[in-house]
Amino acid sequence: MSSYRDLLRTPGVARIIAAQLTARFPFGMLSLAFLLHIEQVTGSYGAAGLVLAATSIGQAIAGPLTSRWMGVWGIRKVLLLTLAVCAVSVTTIALVTMTVPAYMAVGFVAGLSTPPVQPAVRTIYPKLVTSQQLTPLFSLDASAQEIIWVLGPVVTTFVSTQVGTVWGIALAAVIMVVGCLWFISSPEVGRVRIPRSRRKLGQVLKRPPVLLATVVGFLLIGACSAVEAGVVATFGHDGLEAGIVLAIFSVGSLAGGLALGHTPIGPYALARRIFIVFAGLAVASLFLNAWWLSVTLFVAGIGIAPALAVLFAIVSASVKFSDTAEAYGWVGTGQLIGAAMGSAAAGFLIDGSGAVGAFWVAGVFALFGFVIPWIGHRWHPDLRGRDASPIPDTEPINTQPS
């Protein structure tokens, strides 16, 4: 814990962590808020899953593009533009009653314009701390972001059930605007200039660790999205049980991230951490009551933040600084496609088999999330005794006399 205290005393670190967490907080609210609102309007979890899938697909397409634009136009300009469009789209879903295809279209635009705060802050971090502090910073960040998933579902469930689903979405939109403006105005954002990448879009995926992180992120977040849908379907709209169980799921992740943040990252680190997630989810569907799900999802959560920290670290250590934003964009795209697939599959199985179907989906995603990095461990950088700093950008130097 002392190393975390030292990190937070580093100039700018506490401020940028707080600002980016606030900016990203609405995205711990919007999936559940959209799910509750669209299901209430249409009466179908399948329809709600389709809207969530459309939103996530929009985010997936935008991830690498908007991240790469930050190297062309600058971080602040890209964030301001995307924030304006996203805020309008989210508000439209809350205030305008539409058909399911129309909801999907507006959700797609909202996803397409999601401010790329996460790729931006992952790219800024190596410029704030020493190389030895970078891996602990990724762990701290992965743990701290669980605050989003602890408080977000609770706040959304309370506001949506006690006040109204429209107000649940509207509150998320307000927090998004305030948080993004705080992050954009932070001095650290203005001081970092992302170099323009010389590679074609998508070339960074030829780096095996980036591809591994993208695929595993897809599976991990797909499992989490299915769990979220399953918990909401289990407890319905009449109480706070859904929000509380999801919060406990995230508390497990927070605890795991802080406890395992200093564990050396070897070639099997990712597989071992995701096995914890699979173990918890494998037994979660046996009894769909609040106590059982709280215990099993807490256990599953212990592996999530540590796994995400490994994903961030192996990407950072494997690409040039000019490619880091795009690389994190692709990793985010993988996670968002996973969220789309997990939500959609869970929604249809809930309609067909009941809430337990969502937990079956989550277990399958987590199983593949464990198997793939175990088989592909040779693609996983061994960071034991190494730092996770990006590869420096270099240019040819003319040594011929002029």
Side-chain angles (χ1 to χ4, degrees):
M1 291 300 178
S2 61
S3 62
Y4 293 138
R5 287 195 296 270
D6 292 339
L7 273 174
L8 293 175
R9 292 192 186 107
T10 303
V13 169
R15 177 171 53 241
I16 204 70
I17 288 178
Q20 63 97 6
L21 286 177
T22 305
R24 292 167 54 207
F25 188 84
F27 301 102
M29 302 173 64
L30 282 174
S31 292
L32 185 55
F34 283 177
L35 184 72
L36 293 170
H37 182 67
I38 304 301
E39 192 279 332
Q40 185 178 82
V41 172
T42 65
S44 170
Y45 280 105
L50 287 174
V51 176
L52 288 177
T55 304
S56 297
I57 290 170
Q59 291 175 311
I61 294 172
L65 291 175
T66 54
S67 299
R68 192 178 179 92
W69 289 346
M70 290 190 292
V72 179
W73 299 326
I75 297 175
R76 284 175 166 162
K77 289 181 180 178
V78 174
L79 288 175
L80 283 170
L81 174 62
T82 53
L83 171 62
V85 177
C86 189
V88 172
S89 302
V90 168
T91 304
T92 299
I93 290 178
L95 299 180
V96 180
T97 300
M98 299 175 280
T99 63
V100 172
Y103 275 124
M104 291 175 65
V106 178
F108 178 78
V109 173
L112 201 61
S113 58
T114 300
V117 175
Q118 182 166 311
V121 77
R122 300 279 183 266
T123 304
I124 290 170
Y125 279 157
K127 300 299 183 181
L128 295 181
V129 298
T130 65
S131 58
Q132 290 76 20
Q133 291 177 307
L134 189 55
T135 298
L137 179 56
F138 283 138
S139 297
L140 178 62
D141 180 84
S143 302
Q145 76 176 3
E146 290 305 320
I147 295 172
I148 298 170
W149 312 112
V150 171
L151 296 181
V154 175
V155 171
T156 299
T157 304
F158 178 80
V159 174
S160 296
T161 58
Q162 305 304 315
V163 183
T165 56
V166 169
W167 290 101
I169 298 174
L171 177 61
V174 170
I175 296 174
M176 177 172 59
V177 172
V178 172
C180 284
L181 291 177
W182 181 16
F183 180 75
I184 291 167
S185 64
S186 298
E188 293 76 22
V189 175
R191 286 198 293 264
V192 174
R193 178 71 174 88
I194 302 174
R196 184 191 295 259
S197 176
R198 298 182 181 87
R199 295 172 177 265
K200 293 181 179 179
L201 181 66
Q203 288 292 308
V204 72
L205 285 174
K206 292 184 177 179
R207 295 273 187 175
V210 177
L211 183 59
L212 178 66
T214 302
V215 172
V216 174
F218 160 84
L219 294 165
L220 178 61
I221 302 304
C224 293
S225 295
V227 166
E228 183 176 279
V231 169
V232 172
T234 298
F235 299 105
H237 300 165
D238 298 328
L240 293 176
E241 290 95 339
I244 292 172
V245 170
L246 290 173
I248 291 172
F249 185 35
S250 294
V251 168
S253 180
L254 175 62
L258 293 176
L260 302 177
H262 298 285
T263 304
I265 298 176
Y268 289 96
L270 189 54
R272 287 169 177 161
R273 296 177 191 209
I274 295 184
F275 180 79
I276 300 172
V277 182
F278 168 69
L281 295 182
V283 296
S285 63
L286 295 179
F287 305 101
L288 298 186
N289 62 68
W291 288 105
W292 180 256
L293 288 177
S294 295
V295 172
T296 56
L297 293 184
F298 179 85
V299 172
I302 290 173
I304 294 174
L308 290 173
V310 173
L311 293 181
F312 303 151
I314 65 174
V315 169
S316 177
S318 304
V319 299
K320 292 184 177 181
F321 179 67
S322 58
D323 292 324
T324 52
E326 184 189 339
Y328 285 124
W330 282 111
V331 173
T333 288
Q335 294 175 2
L336 290 164
I337 294 175
M341 297 295 290
S343 295
F348 283 111
L349 278 184
I350 289 168
D351 284 343
S353 305
V356 69
F359 293 97
W360 296 341
V361 171
V364 171
F365 270 76
L367 175 61
F368 281 99
F370 157 67
V371 170
I372 288 175
W374 186 271
I375 294 174
H377 67 274
R378 60 185 176 277
W379 288 1
H380 189 301
D382 188 348
L383 299 182
R384 292 172 294 186
R386 289 179 49 197
D387 66 74
S389 300
I391 302 169
D393 285 275
T394 57
E395 296 181 356
I397 298 174
N398 185 7
T399 58
Q400 299 299 321
S402 56

